[in-house]
């Protein structure tokens, strides 16, 4: 689910508005270590259901670039949110309301995101599925109405799930059966990060860090010529407790975990990544998945998908793709990593062990 609804819940009293905050603030929490002598232009906004921070490390003034990047992210939210609390209408609300009737024309952006989402649905055999929306909405995890639905309700919602029943053609989206719905909450932050990064690169930015609520994208290297150092969250500890550090240049790092959004009922945790097979939160052998890739949309889709698929199926998928590396953490404290990820990773938490996959 993407939308601004949780903002009121999670940031009540903090007065973080949609205005871009320009100027020099503390560096993003995900960035470890110093940054040389350049004073970055930074911006921060609550959008897409998360706090987004951008730091441009250039000598030139990039206030206009910053404004343009945040404007694009806000535009993406206004096109693709499925939150009826935040929006009377968006393109995806229109698509969902027309389910079972006729094709709905959408912008090239929405079309592109759905096209990618369906490509990943095919590639993951439905572990990633944007049509899981009726089930996502039923659980409402991350919203005020979050609850554990009855099995009958889950069965009804599940009967409307099926990515094969979405038709994309000539700039239109057609959900071919009533009660269907699509949600790009598992992929839109990645798309938005890529779009914001493209605006920065077009403006000549060669060094920047974009933090979309823990989805990280770095442009170039740090101003001092060394790689960006990005902390990898420890899944069972509070935010910004790291199991280690990834050193990257021109890459995106996206993590999915059950701790991002959840409710607790009778001592049981129910989180926001749903298994489209069962209609319940995915229960596999991994507690966290981190994907390293060039495009954030790929990393976002794959981190959600691999969390649903679990360790072995997840690595089978990732290892078949070019330019994608992964790290998956198991409940017993093993960090499994592709050779490419292991080469970038420095383990700092002695309670974990690094297990490198065969190349
Ligand atoms: P992420 O935080 O990127 O892992 O994505 C989680 C979000 O994607 C959820 O809040 C839902 O909006 C949506 N979602 C949940 N389960 C799935 C799934 N199996 N496939 C695609 N999207 C999902
Ligand atoms: Mg995702």
């Amino acid at each position: 689910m993407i939308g601004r609804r949780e903002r009121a819940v999670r940031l009540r009293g903090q007065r973080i508005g949609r205005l871009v905050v320009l100027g020099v603030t503390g560096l993003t929490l995900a960035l470890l270590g110093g940054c040389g002598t350049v004073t970055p232009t930074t911006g921060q906004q609550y959008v897409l259901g998360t706090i987004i921070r951008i730091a441009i490390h250039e000598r030139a003034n990039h206030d206009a670039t910053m404004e343009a990047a945040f404007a694009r992210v806000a535009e993406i939210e206004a096109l693709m949110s499925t939150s009826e609390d935040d929006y009377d209408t968006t393109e995806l609300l229109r698509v969902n309301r027309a389910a079972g009737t006729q094709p709905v024309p959408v912008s090239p952006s929405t079309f592109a995101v759905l096209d990618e989402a369906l490509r990943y649905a095919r590639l993951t055999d439905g572990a990633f599925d944007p049509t899981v929306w009726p089930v996502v909405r039923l659980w409402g995890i991350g919203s005020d109405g979050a609850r554990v639905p009855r099995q009958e309700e889950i069965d009804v919602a599940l009967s409307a799930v099926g990515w094969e029943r979405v038709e994309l053609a000539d700039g239109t989206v057609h959900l071919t059966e009533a009660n269907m719905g699509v949600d790009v909450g598992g992929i839109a932050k990645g798309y938005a990060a890529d779009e914001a990064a493209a605006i920065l690169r077009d403006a000549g930015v060669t060094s920047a860090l974009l933090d979309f609520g823990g989805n990280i994208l770095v442009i170039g290297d740090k101003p001092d010529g060394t790689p960006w150092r990005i902390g990898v969250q420890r899944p069972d500890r509070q935010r910004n407790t790291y199991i280690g550090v990834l050193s990257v240049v021109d890459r995106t790092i996206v993590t999915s975990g059950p701790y991002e959004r959840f409710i607790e009922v009778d001592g049981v945790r129910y989180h926001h990544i749903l298994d489209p097979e069962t209609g319940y939160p995915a229960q596999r052998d991994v507690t966290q998945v981190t994907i390293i890739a060039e495009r954030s949309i790929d990393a976002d889709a794959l981190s959600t998908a691999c969390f649903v698929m679990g360790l072995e199926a997840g690595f089978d998928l990732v290892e078949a793709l070019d330019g994608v590396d992964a790290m998956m953490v198991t409940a017993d404290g093993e960090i499994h990593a592709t050779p490419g990820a292991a080469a970038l990773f420095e383990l700092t938490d002695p309670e974990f062990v690094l297990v490198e996959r065969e190349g």
Side-chain angles (χ1 to χ4, degrees):
M1 179 172 15
I2 61 171
R4 287 172 289 153
R5 187 174 184 205
E6 303 93 64
R7 169 171 46 193
V9 179
R10 300 189 358 190
L11 293 179
R12 194 172 285 144
Q14 287 189 35
R15 300 179 61 116
I16 297 178
R18 299 196 75 187
L19 277 182
V20 181
V21 183
L22 294 171
V24 184
T25 64
L27 289 179
T28 175
L29 293 168
L31 170 62
L32 306 177
C35 272
T37 52
V38 178
T39 303
T41 306
T42 62
Q44 164 171 308
Q45 220 185 91
Y46 195 85
V47 59
L48 296 176
T50 197
I51 296 175
I52 293 178
R53 296 186 175 96
I54 299 177
I56 299 174
H57 293 256
E58 301 286 342
R59 280 179 207 287
N61 182 298
H62 275 288
D63 287 356
T65 312
M66 188 69 82
E67 294 274 7
F70 275 107
R72 177 67 178 132
V73 177
E75 177 183 42
I76 290 166
E77 180 187 272
L79 289 171
M80 301 178 207
S81 174
T82 48
S83 169
E84 295 188 294
D85 294 324
D86 293 335
Y87 292 95
D88 291 335
T89 190
T90 66
E91 289 191 338
L92 286 192
L93 282 171
R94 250 180 277 142
V95 165
N96 290 350
R97 287 168 185 156
T101 63
Q102 78 274 5
V104 176
V106 295
S107 62
S109 303
T110 301
F111 192 90
V113 171
L114 278 176
D115 198 32
E116 290 282 344
L118 292 177
R119 184 169 74 83
Y120 276 104
R122 201 171 305 119
L123 198 64
T124 64
D125 207 10
F128 184 93
D129 187 343
T131 71
V132 79
W133 172 235
V135 195
V136 171
R137 186 172 52 184
L138 183 62
W139 284 86
I141 293 171
S143 75
D144 291 344
R147 67 186 178 96
V148 181
R150 286 178 290 114
Q151 185 64 51
E152 305 86 78
E153 295 177 289
I154 290 175
D155 291 342
V156 170
L158 268 182
S159 70
V161 175
W163 58 271
E164 302 96 330
R165 293 182 277 169
V166 182
E167 289 173 4
L168 292 187
D170 305 325
T172 68
V173 187
H174 186 197
L175 307 185
T176 57
E177 277 167 56
N179 303 322
M180 287 181 72
V182 287
D183 160 38
V184 294
I187 193 170
K189 272 196 280 176
Y191 175 73
D194 290 334
E195 289 290 292
I199 288 170
L200 267 54
R201 288 194 179 102
D202 284 351
V205 171
T206 57
S207 179
L209 183 128
L210 297 82
D211 177 355
F212 282 41
N215 287 25
I216 304 291
L217 186 155
V218 300
I219 296 178
D221 48 18
K222 287 197 290 181
D224 66 4
T226 63
W228 297 98
R229 289 167 54 76
I230 307 298
V232 178
Q233 174 68 34
R234 177 167 164 156
D236 59 346
R237 288 283 197 281
Q238 69 195 54
R239 234 164 248 270
N240 304 316
T241 309
Y242 300 116
I243 51 177
V245 181
L246 282 164
S247 295
V248 287
V249 176
D250 271 322
R251 281 284 178 285
T252 183
I253 300 171
V254 177
T255 296
S256 282
Y259 48 80
E260 299 267 348
R261 287 176 193 175
F262 60 86
I263 50 166
E264 226 160 55
V265 179
D266 296 334
V268 182
R269 255 185 200 207
Y270 300 91
H271 62 78
H272 71 307
I273 303 173
L274 302 179
D275 185 340
E277 289 263 330
T278 64
Y280 276 83
Q283 290 290 347
R284 298 283 172 172
D285 43 5
V286 287
T287 55
Q288 176 170 290
V289 175
T290 299
I291 302 289
I292 307 155
E294 279 186 22
R295 291 198 319 164
S296 207
I297 192 169
D298 297 318
D300 199 354
L302 286 168
S303 66
T304 307
C306 289
F307 189 83
V308 174
M309 296 167 84
L311 194 68
E312 288 308 322
F315 271 110
D316 284 349
L317 169 66
V318 164
E319 284 161 0
L321 300 173
D322 281 335
V324 177
D325 281 293
M327 298 197 345
M328 300 191 207
V329 183
T330 62
D332 51 3
E334 290 178 351
I335 305 167
H336 294 247
T338 57
L344 303 172
F345 185 66
E346 178 195 333
L347 178 66
T348 55
D349 188 327
E351 288 178 40
F352 287 77
V353 289
L354 185 63
V355 181
E356 189 172 327
R357 309 273 305 181
E358 311 245 314

